[in-house]
Amino acid sequence: RRNNRVKKLIIVLCSISLYTFGQAQNFRLTEIAGGFSTIVDIVNANDSRLFIVDSGKIKIFKNGQTNVTPFLDISNRIEWMMALCFHPNYAQNGYFYVKYKDLNANCVISRFSVS
């Protein structure tokens, strides 16, 4: 469901951006990364990386490349990953939070940390 909402939002935003001040605008969409199954969230940790939430995995996109090794993979423990959020002091404490539906259909928010 969320993936369809994201697609609809992109279409709406593109439609809105077509007309600025009553004049048609030209734009071009460019694919910068592929190989994703179901993107549900894209987050930045106040650095040069994008963290892409995709089907139970969080992948890092940086310098035009998607890392082969996921930042986090909990796909075998969950039914659906919904969102990712970084602690305001992530650079110092390494904390980040993931919202997901577990295998018992419970909505869970878990805190993780990087070493």
Side-chain angles (χ1 to χ4, degrees):
R1 282 183 237 154
R2 182 178 171 131
N3 199 29
N4 287 336
R5 286 186 293 191
V6 170
K7 289 177 184 175
K8 289 177 185 176
L9 177 61
I10 290 171
I11 291 169
V12 169
L13 291 174
C14 289
S15 299
I16 290 169
S17 68
L18 285 174
Y19 293 94
T20 305
F21 304 111
Q23 296 182 0
Q25 302 293 314
N26 293 325
F27 71 96
R28 186 178 77 199
L29 297 176
T30 303
E31 182 177 307
I32 60 169
F36 297 100
S37 167
T38 306
I39 296 175
V40 295
D41 204 2
I42 300 175
V43 181
N44 178 269
N46 292 321
D47 58 22
S48 61
R49 302 172 293 175
L50 291 177
F51 293 79
I52 302 171
V53 178
D54 180 36
S55 302
K57 297 178 184 177
I58 299 172
K59 301 174 183 177
I60 297 175
F61 179 80
K62 182 179 178 180
N63 298 327
Q65 299 287 324
T66 304
N67 289 4
V68 175
T69 304
F71 176 71
L72 178 72
D73 183 355
I74 57 172
S75 55
N76 62 339
R77 297 190 288 165
I78 69 168
E79 184 177 316
W80 183 255
M81 191 181 300
M82 300 174 206
L84 166 66
C85 159
F86 289 95
H87 189 280
N89 294 322
Y90 171 75
Q92 289 77 36
N93 63 26
Y95 294 152
F96 63 99
Y97 303 86
V98 177
K99 180 179 177 185
Y100 58 90
K101 188 184 287 188
D102 69 14
L103 296 175
N104 295 318
N106 297 308
C107 187
V108 178
I109 298 175
S110 291
R111 182 177 79 179
F112 293 89
S113 64
V114 295
S115 55

